[in-house]
């Protein structure tokens, strides 16, 4: 069981907006930043969002992150077929003195 | 461009040891923290270990604490993961990843392609 909780699946049609949640606690997301990674099956993960809200250069602005209390969220607007992938949230945990990942959310573009 | 290339994976018997390497290029290796993250077949990402830029701070997942050791050799721009007393549940693709800053609490912004470790008799 993961320290960070994500829904196992999400879906949407092309052009729609989809949101993926990540629930943590005061020792991880509550006191540190949430980060999001995209992984197309068979490839290495890619950083999508860091410091809860920031996008690395090259990541389309269709991807956005937010944080409220002990939860973080990833929103994808204008959904495209190439967005079909697994998405993971991650954060540093002050109590565990370790990084923790969510269990991952498989996004299907219908 | 920033690049990480892992090596050293393979098939190993339970209880044996293996050392993974990660060669970095395209950035100043010595000023960044570095991570190891693994992914078991069909499962999600599991963080394994992190080392700070100077090597003075190292943290491990409970699942590998006391068995795995992360280290770095800045003169060779290389990160290592020494894995001892290997178990079947250590079977995974192991990724090295660059931290976005110098310290252990920085996230992973550049990832290697991964190297596969299979623990089986």
């Amino acid at each position: 069981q993961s320290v960070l909780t994500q829904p196992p699946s999400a879906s949407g049609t092309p052009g729609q907006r989809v949101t993926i949640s990540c629930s943590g606690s005061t020792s991880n997301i509550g006191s540190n930043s949430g980060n999001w990674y995209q992984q197309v099956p068979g490839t290495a993960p890619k950083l999508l969002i860091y410091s809860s809200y920031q996008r690395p250069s090259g990541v389309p602005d269709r991807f956005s992150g937010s944080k409220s209390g002990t939860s973080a969220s990833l929103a994808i607007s204008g959904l495209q077929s190439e967005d079909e992938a697994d998405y993971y949230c991650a954060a540093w945990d002050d109590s565990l003195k370790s990084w923790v990942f969510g269990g991952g959310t498989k996004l299907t573009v219908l | 461009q920033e690049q990480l290339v892992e090596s050293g994976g393979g098939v190993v018997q339970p209880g044996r040891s293996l050392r993974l390497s990660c060669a970095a290029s395209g950035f100043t290796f010595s000023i960044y923290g570095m991570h190891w993250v693994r992914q078991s077949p069909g499962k999600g990402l599991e963080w394994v270990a992190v080392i700070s830029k100077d090597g003075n701070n190292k943290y491990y997942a409970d699942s590998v604490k006391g068995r795995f050791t992360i280290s770095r050799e800045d003169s060779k721009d290389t990160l290592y993961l020494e894995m001892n007393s290997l178990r079947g549940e250590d079977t995974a693709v192991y990724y090295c990843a660059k931290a976005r800053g110098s310290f252990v609490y920085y996230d992973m912004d550049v990832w290697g392609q991964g190297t596969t470790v299979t623990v089986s008799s």
Side-chain angles (χ1 to χ4, degrees):
Chain A
Q1 194 165 350
S2 303
V3 173
L4 304 181
T5 301
Q6 298 179 234
S9 63
S11 64
T13 56
Q16 266 191 330
R17 184 176 189 269
V18 171
T19 301
I20 298 172
S21 63
C22 174
S23 177
S25 66
T26 54
S27 62
N28 43 66
I29 294 178
S31 51
N32 298 298
S33 301
N35 306 281
W36 289 93
Y37 297 88
Q38 177 193 57
Q39 186 181 34
V40 175
T43 69
K46 169 189 171 184
L47 178 63
L48 270 186
I49 298 289
Y50 66 94
S51 298
S52 299
Y53 309 94
Q54 305 298 321
R55 274 188 316 274
S57 60
V59 173
D61 59 7
R62 302 187 295 105
F63 295 89
S64 62
S66 64
K67 171 183 157 177
S68 178
T70 58
S71 293
S73 293
L74 172 70
I76 309 171
S77 59
L79 200 60
Q80 299 179 4
S81 58
E82 57 259 40
D83 298 334
E84 191 160 283
D86 296 318
Y87 292 84
Y88 296 89
C89 60
W92 172 256
D93 192 295
D94 290 332
S95 295
L96 296 175
K97 290 290 189 287
S98 72
W99 277 84
V100 289
F101 278 95
T105 299
K106 182 177 180 61
L107 175 64
T108 301
V109 180
L110 302 169
Chain B
Q1 74 282 17
E2 298 173 323
Q3 190 174 9
L4 298 167
V5 179
E6 302 93 337
S7 60
V11 180
V12 60
Q13 293 179 328
R16 303 299 290 264
S17 300
L18 202 62
R19 188 177 83 158
L20 305 183
S21 300
C22 171
S25 61
F27 64 97
T28 305
F29 179 76
S30 61
I31 67 173
Y32 291 98
M34 295 293 296
H35 296 264
W36 286 100
V37 177
R38 69 184 181 183
Q39 187 169 35
S40 300
K43 303 294 186 182
L45 300 174
E46 180 189 14
W47 175 81
V48 173
V50 64
I51 185 169
S52 60
K53 67 166 185 174
D54 50 14
N56 288 337
N57 293 286
K58 305 175 185 180
Y59 293 97
Y60 300 89
D62 285 346
S63 58
V64 307
K65 204 171 293 182
R67 300 187 300 124
F68 289 13
T69 301
I70 188 172
S71 62
R72 61 190 301 155
E73 191 167 0
D74 290 348
S75 63
K76 295 186 176 181
D77 291 344
T78 301
L79 175 74
Y80 301 102
L81 185 68
E82 186 74 38
M83 305 185 294
N84 298 320
S85 303
L86 282 162
R87 307 167 180 166
E89 53 264 38
D90 296 318
T91 294
V93 175
Y94 284 74
Y95 296 100
C96 73
K98 168 184 164 287
R100 203 168 37 80
S102 302
F103 305 111
V104 297
Y105 47 77
Y106 279 100
D107 53 279
M108 312 114 206
D109 67 345
V110 179
W111 295 65
Q113 85 290 348
T115 187
T116 301
V117 173
T118 302
V119 182
S120 174
S121 54

